[in-house]
């Protein structure tokens, strides 16, 4: 049983193809296209323009023109009104956007409809309010004489936003909304695996009335369109979400032109169960932390620290819970977990499973494809009893693979949890709030959840310590990365 595809989504899949260049949908400069697949079936959903260097050059020229012209002259109130209008259009098209996201990413439609798309609308609405509230201040200077000294917050300029395939529209909103709120122009390069909702968003931005050149959407490959965006001297800032390896490469390349750079990268997030944790809440939370969105989450709780005294109970119930997860087509309302994004990624995840077995980890459930769920790239929810030094407990797998790590000494948990190059997020489950808060303060992570997991809101900052990134998305903290601070002095004598 599958939900019917919304008429607007069906119509969009028939017309989608051109890239969006500063207010005009057109073919790529080379005329080339690439296929976009449905990971649940392996079938082609659409063929999309393959953007490259020449398209990026044109987008930057249009963005610069808009920055110095129509968009640059747009008042803060008008910027806020346009962002708010866009949030309304996103809500009006929520069913269509959720269906496209589900088909293209492989995530269950219910997750896209109740989590991703409402959060996208929330981000544009939240930053619409900041458009009229983010400014400078008068400074109490003490230099001899009489002066009026104040600061201005000015847009950093043309922003290149490079987004991943796991939450395509949501992460695009993390970058677009604050950048537009403060007056930047943006060139969005979505993942070549999942460009559909970004192109649909471009249509909604047209309907909302954003001036020409304010936003471009250039689907294409990272080594072509993405690299051209990072190298372009007319791009003032890069905001990237993706792998640590690519993030490091972007940072090196951006140094050539001294671009501003923010990076939201990988993670190997710990979930720590304290001795007094509520068993029912813990089981539900641990399964959600690890297997939500097929485990294709940078903050997936893929290391579960369990007290040895409770290990047998939790292993038995975790395995039972994982085996009960219903896999299937994203548009089937019974589906709780969909396919992985591609065959290549499925093979990568299964390679980690094999590595775990070779290194002596104990496979408790899963660890193999699930052809019964469909012809696509399905992998069963997988649980290992592992040790800290094993590869599956150290490296980011980005799939439905959970490593359970027993512990005896509560004082050692923070040290073990921090023994990783990552520091994106962490979870703690327990009833003694004093202990939980002390542990939260000891963890080297940008976000720590207590008795919950993957709690996100536009007002709360998101980003990581160590190799999990540089800078923050969301909240007022994001605005700092899209503005320059100018100090102005006026001699009053």
């Amino acid at each position: 049983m599958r939900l019917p595809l919304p008429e607007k989504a069906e119509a969009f899949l028939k017309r989608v193809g051109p890239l969006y260049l500063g207010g005009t949908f057109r073919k790529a400069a080379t005329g080339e296209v690439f296929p976009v697949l449905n990971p649940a079936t392996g079938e082609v959903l659409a063929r999309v323009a393959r953007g490259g260097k020449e398209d990026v050059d044109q987008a930057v020229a249009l963005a610069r023109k808009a920055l110095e012209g129509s968009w640059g002259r747009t008042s803060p109130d008008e910027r806020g009104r346009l962002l708010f209008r866009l949030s309304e259009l996103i809500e009006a098209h929520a069913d269509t956007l959720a269906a496209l996201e589900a088909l293209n990413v492989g995530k269950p439609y219910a997750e896209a409809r109740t989590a991703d798309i409402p959060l996208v609308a929330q981000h544009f609405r939240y930053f619409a309010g900041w458009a009229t509230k983010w400014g400078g201040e008068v400074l109490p200077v003490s230099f001899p004489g009489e002066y009026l000294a104040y600061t201005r917050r000015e847009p950093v300029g043309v922003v290149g936003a490079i987004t991943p395939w796991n939450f395509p529209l949501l992460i695009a909103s993390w970058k677009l909304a604050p950048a537009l709120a403060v007056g930047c122009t943006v060139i969005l390069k979505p993942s070549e695996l999942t460009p559909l909702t970004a192109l649909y968003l471009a249509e909604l931005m047209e309907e909302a009335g954003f001036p020409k050149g304010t936003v471009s959407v250039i689907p294409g490959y990272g080594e072509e369109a993405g690299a051209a965006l990072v190298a372009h001297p007319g791009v003032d800032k890069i905001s990237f979400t993706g792998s640590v390896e690519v993030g490091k490469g972007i940072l090196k390349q951006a140094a050539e032109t001294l671009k501003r750079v923010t990076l939201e990268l990988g993670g190997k997030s710990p979930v720590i169960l304290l001795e007094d944790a509520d068993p029912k809440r813990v089981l539900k939370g641990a399964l959600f932390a690890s297997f939500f969105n097929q485990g294709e989450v940078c903050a997936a709780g893929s290391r579960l620290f369990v007290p040895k005294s409770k290990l047998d109970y939790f292993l038995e119930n975790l395995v039972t819970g994982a085996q009960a997860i219903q896999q299937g087509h994203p548009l089937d309302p019974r589906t709780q977990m969909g396919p992985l994004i591609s065959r290549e990624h499925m093979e990568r995840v299964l390679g980690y499973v094999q590595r775990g077995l070779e290194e002596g980890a104990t496979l408790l459930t899963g660890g193999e494809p699930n052809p019964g769920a469909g012809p696509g790239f399905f992998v069963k929810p997988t649980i290992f009893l592992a040790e800290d030094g094993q590869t599956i407990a150290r490296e980011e797998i980005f799939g439905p693979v959970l490593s359970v790590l027993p512990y005896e000494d509560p004082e050692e948990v923070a040290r073990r949890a921090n023994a990783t190059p990552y520091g994106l997020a962490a979870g703690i489950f327990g009833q003694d709030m004093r202990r939980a808060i002390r542990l939260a303060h000891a963890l080297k992570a940008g976000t720590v959840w207590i008795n919950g997991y993957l709690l996100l809101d536009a007002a709360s900052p998101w980003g990581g310590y160590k190799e999990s990134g540089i800078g923050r998305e969301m909240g007022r903290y994001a605005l700092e990365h899209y503005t320059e601070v100018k100090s102005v002095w006026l001699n009053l004598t």
Side-chain angles (χ1 to χ4, degrees), residues 103-191:
L103 285 176
N104 199 179
V105 180
K107 65 179 65 190
Y109 172 82
E111 288 181 7
R113 184 63 182 83
T114 61
D116 294 38
I117 307 307
L119 277 172
V120 172
Q122 184 202 55
H123 276 78
F124 284 108
R125 189 164 53 245
Y126 173 83
F127 284 104
W130 271 113
T132 55
K133 300 170 186 67
W134 187 246
E137 59 182 340
V138 176
L139 305 172
V141 296
S142 301
F143 192 85
E146 188 177 357
Y147 302 91
L148 170 63
Y150 63 93
T151 58
R152 285 169 51 85
R153 291 276 187 173
E154 298 182 351
V156 72
V158 177
V159 174
I162 303 175
T163 53
W165 47 259
N166 57 333
F167 293 94
L169 193 58
L170 179 57
I171 294 177
S173 75
W174 293 2
K175 304 177 188 304
L176 284 164
L180 294 171
V182 298
C184 297
T185 51
V186 184
I187 300 163
L188 173 63
K189 206 297 283 185
S191 167

Side-chain angles (χ1 to χ4, degrees), residues 4-71:
L5 191 64
E7 290 183 9
K8 289 180 180 178
E10 194 169 357
F12 177 75
L13 290 174
K14 291 178 180 178
R15 71 174 180 271
V16 68
L19 51 77
Y20 182 66
L21 206 56
T24 304
F25 288 92
R26 62 175 76 171
K27 295 180 179 179
T30 62
E32 293 185 55
V33 297
F34 63 90
V36 177
L37 303 184
N38 177 349
T41 64
E43 298 171 349
V44 175
L45 279 171
R47 297 186 186 277
V48 172
R50 181 173 175 171
K53 183 180 183 302
E54 187 175 339
D55 303 297
V56 169
D57 289 342
Q58 292 183 51
V60 172
L62 290 166
R64 184 64 57 185
K65 182 178 179 181
L67 188 69
E68 297 170 357
S70 57
W71 185 242

